[in-house]
Amino acid sequence: MTSRKYSPDSVPPSAGENPSEDKTPPIHSLKELITHVTGRGPASDLPAEDSGISDPLPFPFIAIVGQMEMKLALTLSLINPNIGGVLLIGPRGTGKTTAVRSLLDLLPEVRRSKCVYGCMPEDIESGGIDAVCPDCAKKYAEGESLTVTEKSHLIELPLNATLDDVVGGFDERARIHDRLRLKRGILAQADQSVLYVDEVNLLQNEIVDALLDAAAMGSYTVRRGPLSATYRSRFTLIGSMNPEEGNLRPQIMDRFGLRIIVHGLTETKERLAAYRRVHEYLENRRSFIQRFTPEIRITREEIQLTRDRLKEISLPDKTAQAGIHLIQQLGIESLRAEITLFETARAYTAADGRTQATLEDLRTVAPMALRLRKSEFTMNYLKQRQQDDQELAKTLDKFLSETK
């Protein structure tokens, strides 16, 4: 467990659509999305100054036309954070950013610490009473809850963010009063929430490094002069990019669980339906959103219920072994492939109302979980090293034989 340093000076302050022309099959709930994918037929508080505030009236997720794989991947990432997030790759204007921001109305509830240090009951369970701050230790002894249940957040990391914006730094407002104090960065604000990075391939290298460290450890430490504070950073990372604007560093590509290739809509009726919905949304956002409010509520409740019963989902050995064999056949080296594949299959199984993942579940989610994982450079490098080892072994055998 990462230790935390407690210092008072280092505490941060706490026109309407034409129904006859929209022929796209409506998706009214998570269950209907799963049913569509399987082809079974129709289904019977952040501080005010924090960065990355999402659109308070986003385009409804339910109203997005087509793009079933993208919608399924984003939904499953909300159900199971262990999937490792989602990377959306595609040209401009294909709805990537719109889809992510539309998750705002679907975000589940999570348990958050009431303490500015992020003290949680599990800290005491694993590290003893000294693992939390004195105030929380007292509350725990008195039987008072250390957590509160609230809706998770959608935090956006802007491209122009500085390193201090991302990880945290000196609180300039406190300096005015001759005090030294640290303030939380965007990574800490995103704890148990969704962190969205648009144009992720254009991030500065130092920001990428900080992001990688925080995502890998689930926490990070900020040191500024005499001050030090450790913050939790257990977030679901979602990124989007246009490949013609540059490649993504392999290190951060590996951190995304699901990889979705987002294409433009190809059917004329779908493109017309998408236009009409966007037109109505721009004409009167509140009226348009109101049309989908019941479906949004149902989907949000389904996501929460599915998330809560995820621990009941099992992965039989036969299914797991088949998945590993598939990964080996594809020549994928990273063990994150198994983690993503199996955790996605579990989330998909839970969303479909079952308790045991099957081979068909793996077949459904494998394209999302395993694409863009095979590295030709790595394969060639390892092959060359294997040849070097074989030559070395032959030389050693010959040398030892001649020596004898």
Side-chain angles (χ1 to χ4, degrees):
M1 173 181 172
T2 304
S3 61
R4 287 193 290 272
K5 296 184 179 180
Y6 304 104
S7 169
D9 287 335
S10 66
V11 180
S14 318
E17 177 182 347
N18 185 346
S20 64
E21 296 190 33
D22 186 356
K23 302 297 184 181
T24 304
I27 302 297
H28 300 300
S29 67
L30 173 60
K31 187 68 175 178
E32 288 192 17
L33 177 58
I34 296 295
T35 301
H36 180 92
V37 172
T38 55
R40 297 173 187 161
S44 1
D45 307 350
L46 293 176
E49 71 275 14
D50 284 345
S51 303
I53 299 175
S54 298
D55 188 344
L57 292 174
F59 192 89
F61 186 82
I62 300 298
I64 296 175
V65 176
Q67 305 292 3
M68 292 301 176
E69 187 182 54
M70 176 173 67
K71 290 190 288 188
L72 179 62
L74 292 173
T75 303
L76 295 179
S77 72
L78 296 185
I79 293 173
N80 188 358
N82 290 334
I83 288 174
V86 183
L87 175 63
L88 306 178
I89 306 172
R92 292 181 294 272
T94 50
K96 303 184 299 297
T97 302
T98 297
V100 177
R101 289 176 175 166
S102 70
L103 295 177
L104 187 65
D105 293 326
L106 304 180
L107 297 175
E109 293 185 338
V110 296
R111 282 196 315 149
R112 292 189 186 281
S113 174
K114 297 179 181 178
C115 176
V116 292
Y117 295 115
C119 299
M120 298 287 285
E122 49 263 38
D123 294 339
I124 299 176
E125 295 169 5
S126 61
I129 199 69
D130 292 335
V132 297
C133 71
D135 287 343
C136 288
K138 179 181 178 181
K139 292 179 182 178
Y140 186 84
E142 296 174 349
E144 183 178 342
S145 175
L146 304 184
T147 62
V148 62
T149 300
E150 64 179 24
K151 186 179 178 182
S152 57
H153 307 294
L154 175 63
I155 307 295
E156 295 191 36
L157 196 163
L159 283 178
N160 63 352
T162 65
L163 187 59
D164 278 359
D165 293 332
V166 175
V167 302
F170 285 121
D171 188 339
E172 297 300 330
R173 293 176 303 170
R175 278 186 169 181
I176 297 176
H177 303 286
D178 296 324
R179 294 186 60 191
L180 287 179
R181 185 168 58 188
L182 295 177
K183 64 177 181 179
R184 295 187 307 161
I186 294 174
L187 297 181
Q189 297 166 18
D191 183 47
Q192 295 195 82
S193 294
V194 174
L195 177 63
Y196 175 48
V197 187
D198 193 10
E199 309 290 358
V200 63
N201 52 324
L202 302 182
L203 276 182
Q204 301 174 38
N205 286 337
E206 63 176 7
I207 305 298
V208 172
D209 293 339
L211 190 60
L212 289 173
D213 289 343
M217 301 299 297
S219 65
Y220 66 96
T221 300
V222 179
R223 292 184 176 87
R224 294 292 185 271
L227 303 183
S228 175
T230 297
Y231 302 104
R232 298 183 188 274
S233 55
R234 301 158 297 175
F235 47 78
T236 296
L237 180 62
I238 299 180
S240 60
M241 58 174 282
N242 178 0
E244 69 177 315
E245 295 174 350
N247 294 324
L248 187 63
R249 283 175 55 182
Q251 298 96 321
I252 193 169
M253 169 73 86
D254 193 48
R255 289 293 172 184
F256 287 103
L258 304 181
R259 293 92 183 276
I260 308 301
I261 307 299
V262 184
H263 300 281
L265 300 176
T266 57
E267 298 292 331
T268 301
K269 64 179 182 181
E270 285 188 333
R271 296 183 73 99
L272 180 57
Y275 160 72
R276 293 195 181 282
R277 289 185 177 184
V278 170
H279 172 75
E280 185 176 351
Y281 171 74
L282 295 176
E283 287 290 310
N284 190 329
R285 295 191 179 194
R286 295 186 183 278
S287 175
F288 180 77
I289 293 171
Q290 188 65 32
R291 284 180 48 197
F292 296 91
T293 297
E295 290 91 343
I296 292 173
R297 178 182 55 78
I298 291 172
T299 303
R300 181 173 61 246
E301 292 174 354
E302 288 181 337
I303 289 174
Q304 186 70 59
L305 292 173
T306 303
R307 186 183 174 105
D308 293 341
R309 67 169 179 264
L310 187 62
K311 58 181 177 294
E312 304 170 6
I313 309 303
S314 63
L315 181 73
D317 287 344
K318 180 180 178 181
T319 303
Q321 290 169 2
I324 292 174
H325 182 67
L326 170 63
I327 291 170
Q328 291 174 330
Q329 289 293 309
L330 293 172
I332 299 173
E333 297 287 339
S334 175
L335 289 176
R336 290 196 181 96
E338 281 92 336
I339 296 173
T340 299
L341 178 63
F342 296 155
E343 291 298 321
T344 307
R346 292 180 64 246
Y348 182 82
T349 301
D352 201 28
R354 294 175 284 108
T355 59
Q356 193 171 87
T358 66
L359 291 174
E360 187 57 34
D361 295 327
L362 292 185
R363 174 66 182 84
T364 301
V365 303
M368 298 186 292
L370 301 182
R371 68 164 58 100
L372 298 178
R373 289 190 180 274
K374 188 174 180 179
S375 170
E376 293 297 333
F377 175 86
T378 300
M379 292 182 64
N380 293 334
Y381 179 85
L382 295 177
K383 184 177 180 180
Q384 183 61 50
R385 299 292 76 76
Q386 185 178 24
Q387 293 175 354
D388 292 344
D389 288 343
Q390 291 173 352
E391 293 177 5
L392 177 60
K394 290 179 181 179
T395 303
L396 288 173
D397 290 342
K398 181 179 179 181
F399 171 78
L400 293 175
S401 176
E402 293 175 350
T403 302
K404 291 179 180 180

